[in-house]
């Protein structure tokens, strides 16, 4: 379990209010009003007193009764793991012990979905008895979409004790319009924060101690437009001046112009030593006496900080003990700009000293920030090497990738561990080619077996992602020899490939057994991640064996392993949900399939695009079954975007899936074009075929489907295909059947039998078609297969209706026929009239004979003579036929029988 990151506690404390603030009761009332709604948004440019307003309110008697949890945000908080760690830390100040389970989730090597973290947070806060406010200060520094989404989720599900206050220079990308319309939002903006003429006079005369005329005050108020920072800078500039009126009349313009102008005036009023202190410490986001001593090379920084605070020189204390301070952001920006202009050579030196101080305090993230700001990339690289593995284990990949992106390319390529860290972060962002480049560099630099073992294990993972089973198989042997005994995660990755190799060769039972061995070892070692992955692979093998109920139980076991004691699912559960969606789809429970698929996609967001491929494949079928043809095409295209970096066979597998969709959408021209292209592709060597036999089988079954569709529609086959398309399909299927039976791929056997039955029906051999269909129904009924029949469309429906007439598996077939949904029929251009209902009781062979003679126009007497029975018996047969067909006349009976394909 990775260690918890060391936090900068100064970020968790509200700046203390000065005793001589201008009292602004109108704004305090607005803040109090906001407590009745989920969110208070304080949005205004820099220097308008947003933070000061909250400090004043909290110092007020009414505000002191309402606890605040404070978080001062900065650029580094765009990493979701870091953001939520600080959220938990500030809430724990109000409620000691809060969020221990959340912190445990955040330490997990797998990224934890923000909504999962928030669900737990909401549930814990719901138990609080006293109301409180969480303040997110400087929210404009947050640019991460996932954090914005998380904050919106929290506000939409806000627990009753919690209120949120956001201060920002610009409106955040949150659904403010919706909350505004629902009256869930109170907004305090720049116009309200501007000082009124009376407040301007109070500030200048009582707070700043200036003796100004009403005219001078009015001019200042007009020039600054009530901007608090501008007024404060102007007041500091005027202290000790005799020509105040002249000074006031000489500055105007934008805030940026005014702050630059007044900065000169303020600095000139300070002793040289204070000017140096202000300029050189402007590089720091937070200031303490010890830190400033290190940066400045002096010993009296704490006393200077206290004097600056007393002088109201834009310095805000961050705790009651006055250990931590920060400059007003606008003041710090102006100081830093001035430092860059006056002493650019000093900037890197100051940052390097700050980096060293933070490293000694264990604040490595801040140390790296200053090292990068100093352009001391060697030092930054050294620090990243110290914490890279820890960040990966805590899932802080956003922060790690940001640092590695800033470091020079040539520096990363000299350090094998940085190359490995970069490879992991790139893989998680689906940048497989770039990751491989980093691995090449790492292996070229280092002969250490541990490094080479990691390189090989990661390459095995890349080969798996690409579907390159031959390469993955080679790497597995190498990795097994190199991996250290104490690394169960990497060993699990390589052992997993043994089962995958068997699986892709089509030997799903051997794969299942290999997976079971790895699962047992992984579970004993406590490697939950690998165990969950293995359980899902076992379930997939069971699906191919045709054991849907066993697969269901196995996926449920995987979900249980990927669920915390509090009932929250980890990202590893994504694969299990997608697998469950596959089973629910096969059982024609489309609603449950959609629910599992949505949850799988949600959890998979933390795992990268690669894991979503199977989800998009099943979503393609689901959308089509729901009658959403456009959605089905969109899903298959999304799968195509992911598979671009995979192997040729994986891309061909996607093309076969797309062709099956074209067939269901009656786009036979596109399907035929794929068939022609497939015939022209190189088949590969026998070894190639062995490594990817399942891809090959799926492609061949799809080709057979195209041929049968061509036979049904009278569509001409490609010139490369000579002969009858139905007969050609039979040849393909006959070649596939023995291997599927031999290796126990029950699902493949069912599909082959169904396609063989359709081919025999197309050839006019109804008896053989019924025999094959009966075999398929026998295998499929116990496991409840549905969509494997229904997705074959109208030809299969016609065949099943004939089975009903012959009394073959009547109850099961009846359920299958009910599943032929009219929504998809409309999409696939089926006849406009709805499908007739299934017969409650099938017709006997004698009744079918009577019906055929009836359709031929024979009278009752003629039918009796033909069949050598009495007229009374004919009438009894007709009565029974009418009842079974639910009709009342000879004409209706014939029409109904034709609809049912009995005639």
């Amino acid at each position: 379990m990775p260690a918890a990151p060391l936090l900068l506690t100064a970020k968790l404390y509200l700046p203390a209010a000065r005793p001589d603030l201008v009292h602004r009761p109108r704004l305090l009332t607005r803040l109090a009003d906001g407590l009745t709604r989920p969110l208070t948004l304080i949005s205004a440019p820099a220097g308008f007193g947003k933070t000061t307003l909250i400090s004043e309110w909290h110092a007020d008697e009414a505000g002191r009764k309402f606890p605040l949890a404070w978080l001062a945000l900065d650029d580094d908080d765009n990493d979701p793991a870091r953001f939520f760690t600080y959220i938990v830390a500030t809430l724990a100040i109000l409620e000691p012990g809060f969020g221990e389970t959340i912190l445990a989730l955040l330490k997990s090597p797998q990224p934890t979905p923000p909504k999962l973290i928030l669900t737990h947070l909401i549930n814990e806060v719901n138990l609080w008895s006293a109301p409180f406010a969480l303040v997110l200060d400087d929210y404009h520094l947050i640019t991460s979409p996932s954090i914005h989404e998380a904050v919106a989720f929290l506000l939409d599900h806000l627990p009753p004790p919690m209120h949120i206050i956001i201060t920002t220079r610009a409106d955040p990308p949150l659904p403010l319009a919706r909350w505004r319309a629902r009256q869930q939002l109170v907004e305090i903006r720049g116009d309200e924060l501007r000082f009124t003429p009376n407040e301007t006079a109070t500030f200048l005369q009582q707070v700043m101690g200036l003796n100004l005329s009403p005219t001078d005050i009015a001019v200042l108020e007009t020039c600054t437009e009530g901007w608090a920072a501008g007024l404060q800078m102007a007041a500091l500039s005027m202290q000790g001046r005799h020509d105040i009126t002249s000074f006031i009349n000489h500055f105007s313009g934008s805030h940026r112009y005014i702050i630059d102008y007044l900065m000169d005036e303020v600095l000139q009023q300070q002793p040289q030593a204070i000017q140096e202190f202000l300029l050189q410490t402007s590089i720091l986001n937070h200031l303490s006496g010890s830190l400033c001593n290190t940066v400045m090379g002096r010993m009296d920084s704490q006393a200077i900080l206290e004097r600056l605070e007393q002088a109201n020189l834009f310095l805000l204390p961050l705790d009651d003990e006055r250990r931590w301070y920060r400059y007003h952001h606008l003041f710090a920006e102006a100081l830093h700009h001035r430092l860059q202009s006056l002493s650019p050579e000093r900037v890197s030196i100051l940052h390097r000293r700050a980096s060293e101080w933070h490293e000694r305090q264990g604040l490595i993230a801040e140390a790296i920030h200053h090292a990068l700001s100093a352009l001391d990339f060697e030092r930054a690289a050294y620090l990243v090497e110290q914490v890279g593995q820890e960040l990966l284990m805590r899932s802080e990949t956003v922060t790690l990738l940001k640092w590695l992106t800033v470091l020079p390319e040539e520096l990363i390529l000299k350090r094998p561990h940085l190359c490995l860290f970069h490879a992991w972060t790139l893989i998680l962002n689906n940048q497989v080619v770039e990751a491989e480049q980093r691995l090449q560099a790492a292996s070229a630099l280092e002969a250490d077996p541990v490094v080479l073992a990691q390189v090989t294990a990661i390459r095995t993972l890349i080969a798996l992602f690409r579907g390159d089973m031959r390469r993955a198989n080679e790497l597995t042997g190498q990795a097994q020899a190199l991996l250290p005994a104490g690394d169960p995660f990497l060993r699990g990755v390589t052992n997993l490939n043994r089962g995958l190799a068997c699986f892709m060769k089509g030997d799903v039972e051997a794969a299942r057994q290999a997976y079971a061995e790895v699962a047992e070892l992984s579970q004993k070692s406590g490697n939950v991640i690998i165990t969950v992955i293995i359980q899902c692979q076992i379930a997939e093998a069971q699906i191919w064996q045709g054991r849907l109920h066993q697969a269901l139980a196995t996926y449920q076991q995987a979900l249980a392993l990927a669920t915390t004691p509090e009932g929250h699912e980890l990202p590893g559960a994504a694969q299990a949900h997608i697998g469950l969606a596959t089973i629910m789809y096969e059982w024609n429970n489309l609603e449950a399939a959609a629910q599992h698929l949505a949850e799988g996609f949600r959890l998979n967001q933390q795992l990268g695009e690669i894991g979503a491929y199977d989800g998009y494949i099943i979503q393609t079928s689901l959308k089509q079954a729901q009658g959403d043809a456009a959605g089905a095409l969109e899903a298959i295209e999304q799968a195509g975007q992911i598979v671009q970096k995979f192997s040729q066979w994986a891309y061909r597998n996607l093309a076969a899936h797309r062709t099956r969709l074209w067939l269901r959408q009656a786009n036979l021209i596109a399907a035929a074009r794929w068939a022609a292209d497939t015939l022209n592709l190189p088949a590969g060597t026998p070894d190639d075929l062995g490594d990817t036999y399942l891809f090959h089988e799926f492609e061949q079954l799809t080709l057979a489907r195209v041929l049968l569709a061509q036979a049904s529609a009278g569509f001409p086959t490609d010139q490369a295909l000579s002969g009858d398309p139905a007969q050609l399909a039979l040849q393909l299927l006959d070649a596939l059947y023995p291997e599927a039976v031999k290796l126990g791929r029950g699902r493949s056997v069912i599909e082959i039998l169904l396609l063989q039955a359709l081919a025999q029906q197309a050839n006019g051999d109804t008896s053989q078609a019924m025999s094959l269909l009966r075999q398929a129904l026998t295998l499929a009924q116990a496991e409840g297969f549905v969509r494997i029949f229904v997705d074959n469309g109208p030809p299969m429906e016609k065949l099943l209706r004939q089975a009903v007439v012959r009394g073959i598996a009547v109850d099961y077939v009846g359920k299958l026929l009910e599943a032929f949904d009219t929504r998809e029929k409309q999409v696939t251009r089926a006849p406009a009239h709805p499908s007739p209902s299934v017969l409650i009781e099938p017709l006997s062979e004698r009744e079918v004979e009577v019906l055929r003679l009836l359709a031929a126009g024979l009278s009752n007497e003629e039918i009796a003579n033909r069949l050598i029975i009495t007229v009374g018996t004919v009438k009894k047969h007709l009565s029974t036929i009418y009842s079974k067909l639910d009709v009342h006349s000879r004409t209706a009976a014939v029409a109904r029988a034709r609809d049912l394909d009995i005639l």
Side-chain angles (χ1 to χ4, degrees):
M1 182 71 70
L6 191 60
L7 302 181
L8 186 63
T9 57
K11 289 163 57 68
L12 308 178
Y13 292 97
L14 170 69
R18 293 181 56 86
D20 54 358
L21 285 173
V22 176
H23 190 54
R24 311 180 80 184
R26 61 187 176 87
L27 295 179
L28 301 185
T29 300
R30 293 279 287 140
L31 275 176
D33 291 342
L35 297 177
T36 63
R37 304 178 187 183
L39 173 64
T40 296
L41 178 69
I42 306 177
S43 180
F48 271 82
K50 301 181 290 293
T51 301
T52 302
L53 174 62
I54 298 177
S55 298
E56 180 190 358
W57 172 68
H58 195 244
D60 188 70
E61 182 177 355
R64 283 197 300 271
K65 298 178 181 178
F66 204 87
L68 288 185
W70 179 271
L71 176 56
L73 298 166
D74 56 47
D75 290 327
D76 290 334
D77 294 323
N78 281 289
D79 189 309
R82 177 183 170 97
F83 177 84
F84 288 116
T85 299
Y86 271 106
I87 292 288
V88 171
T90 190
L91 293 178
I93 294 175
L94 299 183
E95 187 75 18
F98 172 82
E100 292 179 357
T101 303
I102 298 175
L103 292 177
L105 291 174
L106 289 169
K107 294 174 190 174
S108 169
Q110 254 187 324
T112 305
K115 288 184 180 178
L116 189 155
I117 295 295
L118 289 172
T119 299
H120 195 83
L121 184 150
I122 290 165
N123 290 339
E124 283 201 54
V125 171
N126 264 322
L127 302 176
W128 293 19
S129 56
F132 72 97
L134 169 64
V135 182
L136 301 177
D137 191 37
D138 291 332
Y139 192 83
H140 56 273
L141 296 173
I142 298 298
T143 57
S144 166
S146 63
I147 293 181
H148 293 316
E149 181 182 352
V151 171
F153 177 85
L154 176 59
L155 281 161
D156 281 334
H157 303 84
L158 201 67
M162 178 181 278
H163 175 75
I164 292 182
I165 300 174
I166 290 177
T167 73
T168 177
R169 295 185 184 180
D171 282 1
L174 300 172
L176 300 179
R178 170 160 57 85
W179 295 335
R180 192 179 293 124
R182 295 178 180 176
Q183 297 186 339
Q184 297 175 327
L185 167 68
V186 166
E187 299 170 86
I188 301 175
R189 298 189 171 274
D191 287 343
E192 291 181 86
L193 290 169
R194 296 181 192 279
F195 275 18
T196 65
N198 287 338
E199 290 170 343
T200 300
T202 300
F203 173 75
L204 293 172
Q205 294 177 326
Q206 297 181 17
V207 177
M208 302 304 296
L210 296 174
N211 184 20
L212 301 177
S213 68
T215 301
D216 289 339
I217 292 173
V219 171
L220 279 173
E221 195 273 332
T222 301
C223 288
T224 61
E225 297 179 332
W227 179 41
L231 286 169
Q232 187 173 0
M233 293 290 284
L236 289 169
S237 302
M238 288 185 288
Q239 289 178 344
R241 282 185 175 273
H242 301 290
D243 56 342
I244 288 178
T245 300
S246 174
F247 172 82
I248 291 173
N249 291 330
H250 276 84
F251 79 88
S252 62
S254 68
H255 290 170
R256 181 73 263 170
Y257 175 84
I258 293 173
I259 202 71
D260 288 341
Y261 175 76
L262 294 179
M263 176 58 69
D264 288 335
E265 302 297 327
V266 171
L267 283 177
Q268 287 177 10
Q269 300 290 328
Q270 310 303 321
Q272 184 63 33
I274 297 299
Q275 289 188 37
E276 288 296 318
F277 186 92
L278 291 170
L279 290 170
Q280 294 187 30
T281 57
S282 68
I283 68 159
L284 303 172
N285 294 325
H286 305 89
L287 301 85
S288 72
S290 173
L291 174 57
C292 292
N293 283 341
T294 298
V295 171
M296 294 288 297
R298 57 194 304 159
M299 300 301 296
D300 59 346
S301 296
Q302 183 64 36
I304 293 176
L305 289 170
E306 292 173 3
R307 287 201 299 272
L308 291 175
E309 181 196 356
Q310 293 168 3
N312 200 16
L313 204 60
F314 290 96
L315 187 71
L316 307 176
L318 298 179
D319 53 42
D320 294 336
E321 292 80 15
R322 266 42 179 189
R323 290 178 302 185
W324 285 98
Y325 297 83
R326 73 167 173 85
Y327 289 124
H328 187 290
H329 295 310
L330 200 61
F331 188 61
E333 290 170 11
L335 285 172
H336 193 252
H337 178 72
R338 180 59 51 87
L339 175 66
Q340 290 276 14
S341 300
L342 296 177
S343 304
E345 73 285 351
R346 294 285 297 167
V347 174
S348 60
I349 297 173
L350 298 171
H351 275 298
R352 191 175 298 111
R353 292 174 180 174
S355 177
E356 293 168 355
W357 185 91
H358 282 97
E359 182 191 4
R360 289 195 295 271
Q361 308 306 312
L363 299 168
I364 304 301
E366 288 73 17
I368 293 172
H369 163 75
H370 283 290
L372 292 173
S373 297
L375 303 182
D376 189 346
F377 297 122
E378 288 285 348
R379 174 173 177 74
Y382 161 77
L383 292 169
V384 172
E385 283 181 326
Q386 307 311 304
V387 297
Q389 187 69 34
E390 183 181 332
L391 261 65
L392 283 174
M393 295 297 289
R394 291 205 308 263
S395 303
E396 292 186 30
T397 54
V398 174
T399 296
L400 184 56
L401 183 58
K402 182 179 74 172
W403 291 338
L404 291 167
T405 301
V406 174
L407 289 176
E409 176 84 359
E410 60 273 14
L411 184 59
I412 294 177
L413 294 178
K414 293 178 182 177
R415 295 174 177 259
H417 289 285
L418 289 185
C419 290
L420 289 172
F421 296 152
H422 207 181
W424 276 116
T425 59
L426 290 168
I427 286 174
L428 292 173
N429 284 273
N430 201 23
Q431 296 176 261
V432 179
V433 174
E434 294 81 356
E436 176 58 39
Q437 293 172 354
R438 289 292 183 255
L439 295 177
Q440 290 176 2
S443 57
L445 286 169
E446 186 65 66
D448 180 3
V450 175
V451 171
L452 295 179
Q454 292 190 56
V455 169
T456 307
I458 298 173
R459 280 179 171 158
T460 302
L461 192 62
I462 291 175
L464 296 178
F465 287 163
R466 288 174 166 169
D468 188 347
M469 301 310 302
R470 166 174 282 192
R471 176 65 173 156
N473 199 37
E474 293 173 355
L475 291 169
T476 298
Q478 298 174 24
Q480 292 283 10
L482 291 168
L483 282 174
D487 198 332
F489 175 76
L490 292 176
R491 189 167 292 279
V493 169
T494 54
N495 288 343
L496 169 63
N497 183 57
R498 291 193 300 111
L500 284 171
C502 294
F503 181 81
M504 294 310 299
K505 290 178 180 178
D507 193 347
V508 292
E509 177 57 24
R512 190 196 63 77
Q513 293 176 8
Y515 294 150
E517 293 175 11
V518 179
E520 183 178 0
L521 292 173
S522 298
Q523 199 158 6
K524 285 181 179 178
S525 67
N527 194 332
V528 176
I529 298 172
I530 292 297
T531 306
V532 170
I533 293 173
I534 291 294
Q535 287 292 102
C536 291
Q537 294 300 133
I538 291 173
E540 186 177 2
Q542 290 167 334
I543 289 176
W544 278 93
Q545 290 176 316
R547 301 169 182 173
L548 299 185
H549 290 95
Q550 287 185 13
L552 174 69
T554 306
Y555 278 129
Q556 289 172 339
Q557 291 172 15
L559 281 183
L561 288 169
T563 303
T564 67
E566 295 75 24
H568 303 305
E569 291 176 348
L570 299 174
Q575 189 177 355
H577 276 293
I578 291 172
L580 286 169
T582 303
I583 295 174
M584 293 300 114
Y585 176 79
E586 182 56 56
W587 286 341
N588 203 41
N589 189 342
L590 303 187
E591 182 178 354
Q595 292 172 353
H596 280 295
L597 201 54
E599 187 66 11
F601 280 133
R602 184 185 71 79
L603 292 170
N604 199 77
Q605 290 176 356
Q606 297 295 320
L607 301 177
E609 290 182 336
I610 294 170
Y613 174 74
D614 289 339
Y616 285 124
I617 292 299
I618 191 63
Q619 188 178 54
T620 299
S621 296
L622 178 61
K623 291 289 187 182
Q624 182 64 26
Q626 293 172 329
D628 183 0
L633 288 169
E634 181 181 354
I636 200 69
E637 290 309 314
Q638 288 174 310
Q641 293 174 12
I642 295 173
V643 85
Q644 287 176 358
K645 298 180 181 179
F646 290 9
S647 68
Q648 178 195 21
W649 274 105
Y651 192 80
R652 288 173 65 170
N653 179 257
L654 171 72
H657 278 291
R658 183 184 286 112
T659 300
R660 293 194 178 202
L661 176 61
W662 285 335
L663 289 175
R664 290 176 67 178
Q665 295 188 349
N667 190 350
L668 190 52
I669 294 176
R673 188 181 305 117
W674 169 85
D677 292 341
T678 300
L679 290 169
N680 292 326
L681 287 173
T685 66
D687 288 339
D688 290 336
L689 189 60
D691 284 343
T692 54
Y693 186 84
L694 281 188
F695 286 159
H696 167 76
E697 180 188 73
F698 188 81
E699 191 174 68
Q700 292 294 295
L701 288 172
T702 306
L703 184 57
R705 287 173 180 269
V706 176
L707 290 168
L708 291 174
Q710 290 176 323
S712 176
F715 194 91
T717 60
D718 186 80
Q719 292 180 356
L721 294 171
S722 58
D724 177 67
Q727 192 60 38
L728 291 170
L730 275 174
Q731 294 173 12
L732 291 175
L733 297 167
D734 290 345
L736 296 173
Y737 182 79
E739 188 75 8
V741 172
K742 174 184 173 182
L743 295 178
R745 291 196 305 277
R747 189 190 182 284
S748 296
V749 171
I750 294 171
E751 183 175 2
I752 292 169
L753 286 171
L754 290 177
L755 295 178
Q756 286 177 324
L758 291 172
Q760 294 291 4
Q761 180 72 3
N763 283 338
D765 192 342
T766 302
S767 176
Q768 182 63 15
M770 288 294 109
S771 175
L772 292 163
L773 179 61
R774 188 190 299 270
Q775 294 179 56
L777 289 167
T778 300
L779 293 172
Q781 183 171 4
E783 296 294 335
F785 280 89
V786 176
R787 296 304 307 192
I788 199 170
F789 293 88
V790 176
D791 290 349
N792 280 297
M796 179 57 64
E797 182 180 12
K798 180 177 180 179
L799 201 62
L800 289 171
R801 294 197 183 283
Q802 293 184 34
V804 170
V805 171
R806 288 162 174 77
I808 300 173
V810 174
D811 292 340
Y812 180 40
V813 173
K815 293 177 181 178
L816 295 177
L817 289 170
E818 289 174 359
F820 280 82
D821 193 294
T822 56
R823 286 176 297 177
E824 182 169 358
K825 288 185 177 184
Q826 292 168 0
V827 172
T828 55
R829 307 172 197 172
H833 59 78
S835 300
S837 60
V838 180
L839 290 178
I840 299 174
E841 182 180 353
L843 299 177
S844 68
E845 291 185 6
R846 176 63 82 178
E847 289 164 352
V848 172
E849 287 182 294
V850 171
L851 193 56
R852 284 174 178 160
L853 296 174
L854 188 72
L858 275 66
S859 66
N860 289 352
E861 291 79 8
E862 290 171 328
I863 294 174
N865 292 334
R866 182 73 62 90
L867 299 178
I868 316 175
I869 58 176
T870 67
V871 174
T873 301
V874 172
K875 290 181 178 179
K876 287 181 181 179
H877 282 314
L878 288 176
S879 177
T880 304
I881 290 170
Y882 291 172
S883 176
K884 290 181 177 181
L885 296 179
D886 193 23
V887 297
H888 301 84
S889 68
R890 296 165 64 96
T891 304
V894 172
R896 179 70 166 157
R898 285 175 175 157
D899 281 342
L900 292 170
D901 294 313
I902 296 172
L903 301 177

